[in-house]
């Protein structure tokens, strides 16, 4: 391979890596997005964060907060971030079922889930959302973030 072809090959590989594309995939490039979720000033562990694209047909991104309230978004692969675009954001956190946690979802509403627990016969357990209701819907949360072609931070304060 001559020097000119080798230079072109290196340039193509560099551009693929720089834009977040992976050869052989049809996924659009993603960019890291992370932040901290707090509820009344306290880090919120175990919360689900969902970025819903404003553009219909866009790809949603998801994250779960760790013990320090920090999340990292995932779209196609763990921790890859989000596709560039405008997003509305929603956050939820359900308390655990009251016994064992091995039950299955039986029915749901916007604020709580009911669990069927085989260990307790037909007993239904209620799991409530610990986040104020307005934040659990991307249309009412008032939370929005634009992802650009670079890493970004979006801290979420639920007050």
């Amino acid at each position: 391979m001559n020097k000119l072809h080798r230079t072109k090959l290196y340039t193509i590989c560099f551009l693929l890596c720089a834009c977040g594309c992976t050869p052989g995939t049809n996924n659009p490039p993603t960019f890291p997005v992370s932040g901290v979720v707090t509820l009344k000033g306290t880090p919120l562990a175990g919360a689900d964060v969902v970025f819903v694209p404003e553009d219909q047909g866009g790809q949603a991104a998801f994250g779960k907060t760790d013990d320090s309230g920090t999340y990292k978004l995932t779209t196609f692969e763990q921790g890859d971030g989000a596709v560039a675009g405008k997003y509305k954001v929603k956050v939820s956190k359900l308390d655990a079922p009251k016994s064992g946690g091995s039950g299955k979802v039986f029915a749901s509403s916007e604020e709580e889930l009911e669990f069927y627990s085989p260990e307790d016969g037909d007993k239904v357990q209620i799991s409530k959302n610990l986040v104020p209701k307005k934040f659990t819907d991307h249309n009412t949360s008032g939370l929005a973030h634009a992802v650009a072609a670079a890493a970004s931070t979006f801290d979420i304060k639920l007050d």
Side-chain angles (χ1 to χ4, degrees):
M1 182 182 294
N2 67 34
K3 185 176 179 180
L4 179 60
H5 286 109
R6 197 170 35 245
T7 302
K8 286 181 180 179
L9 180 61
Y10 290 149
T11 302
I12 291 169
C13 289
F14 172 77
L15 290 174
L16 286 172
C17 292
C19 76
C21 298
T22 304
T25 68
N26 292 326
N27 295 336
T30 55
F31 305 94
V33 178
S34 62
V36 176
V37 178
T38 55
L39 178 61
K40 298 180 182 173
T42 303
L44 185 61
D48 294 309
V49 178
V50 181
F51 278 48
V52 179
E54 288 185 10
D55 178 24
Q56 286 190 352
Q59 186 68 43
F62 308 88
K64 188 158 195 91
T65 60
D66 62 16
D67 289 341
S68 66
T70 301
Y71 71 92
K72 292 180 182 178
L73 290 183
T74 295
T75 300
F76 303 109
E77 296 178 17
Q78 183 66 37
D80 64 351
V83 174
K86 294 181 180 180
Y87 294 84
K88 291 182 179 180
V89 181
K90 62 182 179 176
V91 180
S92 63
K93 179 182 178 180
L94 298 176
D95 65 352
K98 296 176 181 40
S99 71
S102 63
K104 295 184 179 182
V105 174
F106 177 83
S108 66
S109 70
E110 287 184 20
E111 294 182 38
E112 58 188 36
L113 294 177
E114 299 175 6
F115 289 84
Y116 169 73
S117 178
E119 299 87 31
D120 297 332
D122 290 331
K123 185 177 181 181
V124 174
Q125 303 168 350
I126 304 299
S127 183
K128 294 192 179 202
N129 202 324
L130 301 176
V131 173
K133 182 179 179 181
K134 83 174 214 171
F135 296 112
T136 64
D137 183 328
H138 64 280
N139 290 313
T140 61
S141 71
L143 302 169
H145 184 66
V147 176
S152 64
T153 300
F154 181 62
D155 293 332
I156 301 170
K157 297 178 182 180
L158 307 176
D159 296 318

